[in-house]
Amino acid sequence: ELDHTLNAIHPSGNKLWSTVISGRIVGEMQQMDFCSIVFVTDRNRLYRIDTSGKTLKGFSAGIPAEPIAEPLISKWNDKNIFLITSKNSIYAFDLEGNRLSNWKDENFDGTILGAVQQAGTNYVAGTSYGRVYFLNNDGSLQKEIDIPGDVVFKTQIGVVDVGNNSYEILAFDDNSTLYRINSDKILSEIKIEQHVDKYFGSFKNISGPSAQEFTLIARNKLSAYETNSYKP
């Protein structure tokens, strides 16, 4: 609710519980396998509550900067961790709400777009400066791909598992060009729409398989592009 009250509603319509949180929830809430719910708010807070609405010990935890997306729940040293993305940094917390001191805090050129994403045992993030960052599993920089020219990304990148522990990164720029990138180079550049100033693009699984499709809203039209050809 507008006063930051979080309500749980049974499918029958009956309210199960209510709890007050600090700030507006950013991104999606996520339920973990062992019956706890994880989310972040724009008041720089990381929450973990049980399915009765009670905050678990150690939470809410303070985040150094305002998050821009939901946490990524990942494994590090065989333990679950939360990776939280802000505009300029990625922070790591354990399940007790403690920030991981040995997680590397890399500097990124430009604004990070969307949540950091998993690529096998490593991570990947894209920024507004047309750059894709590949990170090791401790947050340290593995490689940076800089798209040549004055390229601006405005949508979150996509990640496709192509097998054999290899991943392809998908990115869309403000000149309506879609890039396919691996950890070594740009694989292809695909012009998919006439350039418009106002648009919304997103890489999501919409047809069932693991590979992500690209959806684009521009000129009052919703288009979906298949993974292999990126044709409507």
Side-chain angles (χ1 to χ4, degrees), residues 120-138:
T121 58
N122 298 323
Y123 305 101
V124 62
T127 74
S128 58
Y129 282 11
R131 296 176 187 179
V132 176
Y133 291 86
F134 295 85
L135 306 176
N136 296 308
N137 64 359
D138 63 351

Side-chain angles (χ1 to χ4, degrees), residues 31 38 42 49 97 100 106 108 120 140-141 145 149 169 177 189 195 201 204 211 221 226:
Q31 183 164 339
V38 179
D42 62 356
I49 63 177
L100 299 183
E106 289 291 344
F108 298 88
S140 60
L141 180 64
I145 302 292
I169 311 305
T177 301
E189 302 179 19
H195 173 63
K204 294 289 184 180
K221 179 179 69 173
E226 47 186 42

Side-chain angles (χ1 to χ4, degrees), residues 7-176:
N7 301 298
I9 310 297
H10 190 272
S12 66
N14 297 319
K15 184 166 72 172
L16 299 175
W17 49 260
S18 296
T19 188
V20 177
I21 60 176
S22 176
R24 176 183 58 85
I25 295 176
V26 178
E28 298 180 1
M29 302 172 64
Q30 301 174 79
Q31 183 164 339
M32 302 186 69
D33 292 338
F34 35 92
C35 295
S36 64
I37 301 168
V38 179
F39 57 91
V40 292
T41 73
D42 62 356
R43 297 285 180 86
N44 301 10
R45 307 304 298 179
L46 167 65
Y47 279 86
R48 186 179 170 206
I49 63 177
D50 65 20
T51 51
S52 298
K54 296 180 179 178
T55 303
L56 298 184
K57 184 179 179 181
F59 296 89
S60 66
I63 306 169
E66 182 178 338
I68 61 171
E70 64 275 2
L72 171 67
I73 303 174
S74 182
K75 283 222 179 258
W76 190 56
N77 291 338
D78 294 324
K79 294 183 178 180
N80 281 315
I81 61 170
F82 305 129
L83 297 182
I84 302 170
T85 309
S86 71
K87 288 183 178 180
N88 304 110
S89 297
I90 298 168
Y91 307 105
F93 289 78
D94 64 21
L95 296 192
E96 285 70 49
N98 303 305
R99 188 175 171 190
L100 299 183
S101 59
N102 45 358
W103 174 266
K104 309 299 182 184
D105 189 9
E106 289 291 344
N107 293 319
F108 298 88
D109 293 325
T111 300
I112 303 174
L113 301 172
V116 62
Q117 299 190 58
Q118 189 102 31
T121 58
N122 298 323
Y123 305 101
V124 62
T127 74
S128 58
Y129 282 11
R131 296 176 187 179
V132 176
Y133 291 86
F134 295 85
L135 306 176
N136 296 308
N137 64 359
D138 63 351
S140 60
L141 180 64
Q142 182 184 97
K143 178 169 283 190
E144 173 188 343
I145 302 292
D146 186 3
I147 306 299
D150 188 19
V151 172
V152 177
F153 292 158
K154 289 189 175 179
T155 65
Q156 181 174 347
I157 60 173
V159 178
V160 176
D161 185 349
V162 296
N164 298 319
N165 201 32
S166 297
Y167 294 84
E168 188 173 293
I169 311 305
L170 309 173
F172 187 69
D173 74 2
D174 64 343
N175 198 31
S176 301

